[in-house]
Amino acid sequence: MTPTLGGTEGQKATLPHQAERTPQQRLAELRGGPDVPQRPLDARALAALAANPGCRRRALLDGAGVDKGAVAQALGSPAPFGQSQFAFVRGNAFEARVKADGGAALLALLCAHTGEDCPDTSEVALPDLTADGPAGRAARTRLALDEAYGGWALLDHPILTLEVAGTTAYLEPDALALHPDGGVTVIEIKSFPILDGSADPAKVGAAARQAAVYALALAGPGATAAWAVREQALLVCPKDFSNHPAASLLPLRKQVATTKRQLARLTRVDEIAAELPPGASFSPGQDPGTLTAAVESVPAAYAPECLATCELAFHCRDRARDGGAVEALGRSVRGELGGLATVDQVLAAASPEGPGTDEPAAAALRRAAALRTEALGASRARAEALRASGTCDAEPGGAACR
Amino acid sequence: MSLISALARMEAAASGRAEPVATVRHRHLAERPLVLVPLTTAGETGAPLGAMVGTDRGAPQVFTVAQPRDRDLRFAFLGRLAEALLPHLESCQDEVETIERKETDPESGKRVTVEAELCADAPQLLVPTAPGVDFVRLLGRSMRFRRTAEEDPGTPYPAPPRVPLLGRWLTHYAERSRVPGSSLLLPLTGLLTRHWATGQSHLEDQHLGTLLAWIAPPDGESGAEAARRAELERDGTGQLVRPPAGPATDPAFDNRLLAPAVARYDAGVPGAAEELRELIASQLRPTWEAMWQGVDLLRALPEGAHVPDRWRRDRQSYTHHRDRLRAGEPPQPRRDDAVTAARKLAMREQRQAELEAQEALDDPLVMAVRRLAGEAFTAAVTDVEMAYSEGKRPTPRPLVTLRTEDTPLLAEGDKVHRQLPEGAQQRAELVAEPEPGVLVLRLLSGMGRGKEPAQGTVPEPGDLLCWTLFEHSPRGGPGLPEPEETPWTHGGPPGEQTAEDPDPLTPEDVL
Ligand code: SF4
């Protein structure tokens, strides 16, 4: 998809005064001013970002803390997902249950899986992590881990920081456990079940990707302390049809390496921001046309997977479809098409009267089209011949006329 | 994705209407399928919220649960579901044909022929989507270990009488649905995507409403526009005009309509139960209609030639399950032992290969995909030269020269296969490729036992033949040991099947 600048075309030069602002100020400006709160980047968003590192649009909006849901709403293409309050209530109730009694049940599950002796809750530190703002809570978290070193501690909703694409993300795991040997286990509490010992692999995979983000944050710079993150996270889920917890260990090493590599590939947010037209912002309150132009001025990389992970998906999908991008039909469609990027190009290359092209995929496409036509039978071939000789409407096989 | 299917998608995207990717129907479609549209409660594993059920499009039965967290209401729902589904699931048990089967005699160890029953038909269950199939599996799992008061007078929360039995049937159907080409339980989205390519992605095809919109858009509207409306159109109150096909409901429905209605029910507001019932039915009805629209579309396609063969296996599977129930065997275990799991896997791989071969033979459009991949070719016969094998009893081994525009991936000595006009198979090997596009084959089989080839088994110049590089009835890999010979490394010989304990119940459990 080619991004268009709309009305702001040609105003792309960086004005001198822009350089004087700090990156943080520039990002606040992108959100629509210093009063617009920064939307924290959570592990789910980071995992999604890591899965589509080619999308500069998402990297910038997430990095700047823009509320993409509000932007999507303002663009007239509200996000494709929401959460049912039934799921929300149930998820919270389950988490509260797991963490009740000073985390006794949680630690018992953890130790049952690691083979450690389960401590009495009186021996487990439960540090208070309340502080003003995420930065304060992140500092409290690190301090708490340092202070409790050498013994057991359970941290309820700690805050970790991770530098991503030049901005700081504040991440909130469900819990962390500090072991007496200085190891730290990431704990993820989910509301999908472990049924007869196994859980939905797609959901387990998503949980592992999130846990990997937390593990990365724990291992990042600043992790100078003696404690070290363990290579296996603890996934806690309801057992079968009950709301009793069951757990399993999630190996993280490979996922951490993958996520680290993907996040490193993200372009720095300030570099993307520098390419924006001056004064462009993503404030949802502005004129929709201006907002659209701002959004479209940042290149995107739409694929149908966005529908499950990004609030802007319907907007980006419309653009991709309008442009006839083959990716809109799925990443797997792209495979054998070589340099042909749009549906029209593909259909033109596939048509027998198509323009001679040195695109290597074209020969295979023509053969595929010929075989398909042959198989679909003479009746259809006749109908197409009729169409080709008569009017040219938007029917399959009519691409050559366009 | 094959290039031919990718092309079909693009043609659909350009034209705004779905394109065929099959010219025949590759799955069995019962005359009276049992349609089940289930809904579940978000966040509660396997907790039903409602269901629309029936074999008659004009007369669905609707069951709903007013408060999904109330065990009594859920049990009542499952009890009614059992009363609605079981008569249909059990309806084909008694009409049987007698077949002959090879078996190992337990005493002599010899292979002997025995007579067995095969149910003449089997009930077919259709659900909207793949998650619907998973939900059937989950329902089966949640019910089959339950105890009724009759089975266990001491059980603290007895299940209604036929609920465990329904659990076993649903488990069987869900398990069978993992076998490639099986048709006892099918999701409509899977059926439709097997036969049509839309102008949207495979992911978006999991939405039944958009899928149907692409295949059969309303008059005056393109499939693309209709799909967009089916996916996004909301009424003035923010509710989807076409609710999702489930089993999950739309969060906006949960939050704005369902939750307040459940709260009214909990508060004992008069009429709240009826209101909830109507609310849930409103989410089920559009999908119910869509199910039958899809059935109509599929019925318009002629059935593939091998479909009855595969359906026979489904009937066999149905008969086996009937026999196990009649023999008083315990419910299916929670987890398969190692041997059973390995057997199932091997069987599914074999069925997959068989399905791919049969679909290609039944459908020129599927064969086109294989031809493009170099796994099959059509060719015109240009010359036939009679030849015979050497040895005491010479048999016919004619040499056939062919001209083809396809590009099969063949080397000298490779075997190829074709179907003879009467359905038998013929094997040949590549002898030479004197020039590109010209192949000389030696026919190896399918010509009868005589000295001269049987009538019609050797092609003549001018004939157009379709050869495949794959076998038409592929056999499985190396056989697995019989169950009693299983090595200890794989769990050892399975013991007597014993009944597993029911799931422990606590007062606060959800199911
Ligand atoms: S929906 Fe758009 S912004 Fe979001 S990841 Fe996809 S392409 Fe990027």
Side-chain angles (χ1 to χ4, degrees), chain A residues 1 48-49 52 54-59 61 68 295 299-303 305-307 309-317:
Chain A
M1 178 167 50
L49 197 54
N52 190 4
C55 182
R56 293 163 80 97
R57 185 175 294 169
R58 178 170 189 148
L61 268 63
K68 295 203 302 301
V295 170
Y302 173 79
E305 286 76 12
C306 292
L307 290 168
T309 54
C310 185
E311 291 85 348
L312 287 173
F314 281 147
H315 173 80
C316 296
R317 186 180 71 177

Side-chain angles (χ1 to χ4, degrees), chain B residues 159-236:
Chain B
R162 307 234 292 162
V163 161
L165 183 60
L166 178 63
R168 298 176 64 174
W169 275 109
L170 294 186
T171 300
H172 183 72
Y173 268 59
E175 195 59 14
R176 179 72 192 164
S177 75
R178 296 188 199 261
V179 177
S182 70
S183 299
L184 283 186
L185 166 62
L186 285 169
L188 189 62
T189 47
L191 272 170
L192 293 172
T193 51
R194 177 64 198 86
H195 299 92
W196 283 276
T198 65
Q200 62 188 3
S201 70
H202 177 69
L203 274 169
E204 290 152 310
D205 280 348
Q206 306 313 306
H207 187 295
L208 179 58
T210 63
L211 189 53
L212 281 168
W214 275 100
I215 299 171
D219 285 341
E221 203 175 10
S222 82
E225 289 161 19
R228 216 189 136 72
R229 280 204 302 118
E231 185 183 24
L232 297 175
E233 194 183 358
R234 289 181 186 269
D235 64 17

Side-chain angles (χ1 to χ4, degrees), chain A residues 57-382:
Chain A
R57 185 175 294 169
R58 178 170 189 148
L60 176 64
L61 268 63
D62 276 349
V66 172
D67 182 345
K68 295 203 302 301
V71 170
Q73 186 86 42
L75 289 171
S77 307
F81 33 78
Q83 196 185 18
S84 163
Q85 68 182 68
F86 294 107
F88 188 73
V89 167
R90 160 109 160 135
N92 284 351
F94 179 67
E95 182 172 341
R97 188 191 161 107
V98 169
K99 288 180 175 171
D101 306 326
L106 191 51
L107 286 163
L109 278 172
L110 178 60
C111 292
H113 279 83
T114 61
E116 288 161 292
D117 288 333
C118 189
D120 191 86
T121 38
S122 61
E123 304 160 33
V124 180
L126 297 169
D128 175 14
L129 303 175
T130 45
D132 282 341
R137 287 174 63 198
R140 286 287 309 138
T141 299
R142 294 207 168 268
L143 196 64
L145 285 172
D146 290 342
E147 279 174 0
Y149 182 75
W152 281 99
L154 194 60
L155 280 67
D156 186 7
H157 285 287
I159 292 275
L160 305 172
T161 57
L162 183 63
E163 289 296 313
V164 179
T167 55
T168 304
Y170 293 98
L171 308 166
E172 190 172 344
D174 291 328
L176 293 177
L178 175 69
H179 302 251
D181 66 359
V184 177
T185 299
V186 174
I187 299 175
E188 279 286 277
I189 302 174
K190 298 288 181 195
S191 53
F192 58 84
I194 295 182
L195 183 57
D196 296 334
S198 62
D200 181 341
K203 291 179 176 154
V204 174
R209 284 190 291 277
Q210 282 186 38
V213 172
Y214 299 134
L216 263 178
L218 277 163
T224 48
W227 45 265
V229 60
R230 288 197 173 180
E231 280 181 353
Q232 290 179 313
L234 188 75
L235 173 68
V236 182
C237 298
K239 180 172 159 40
D240 300 338
F241 301 100
S242 73
N243 55 8
H244 293 281
S248 93
L249 288 175
L250 291 178
L252 293 183
R253 196 207 296 230
K254 252 175 70 187
Q255 191 59 52
V256 166
T258 311
T259 311
K260 193 172 181 175
R261 198 161 8 90
Q262 288 168 331
L263 290 178
R265 274 179 55 201
L266 290 173
T267 315
R268 284 184 58 87
V269 165
D270 46 3
E271 282 173 30
I272 305 174
E275 291 172 13
L276 285 181
S281 105
F282 302 107
S283 162
Q286 64 188 313
D287 163 63
T290 320
L291 177 61
T292 308
V295 170
E296 288 304 308
S297 69
V298 198
Y302 173 79
E305 286 76 12
C306 292
L307 290 168
T309 54
C310 185
E311 291 85 348
L312 287 173
F314 281 147
H315 173 80
C316 296
R317 186 180 71 177
D318 282 349
R319 295 294 158 140
R321 282 183 176 172
D322 288 349
V326 293
E327 284 87 357
L329 298 178
R331 282 191 174 133
S332 63
V333 174
R334 191 64 217 264
E336 297 175 70
L337 297 177
L340 303 170
T342 70
V343 171
D344 282 349
Q345 284 172 2
V346 171
L347 291 181
S351 103
E353 313 89 49
T357 152
D358 42 8
E359 173 57 50
L365 270 169
R366 257 200 285 280
R367 180 91 191 110
L371 282 171
R372 186 173 147 74
T373 310
E374 179 192 324
L376 278 173
S379 63
R380 189 183 153 108
R382 267 200 306 276

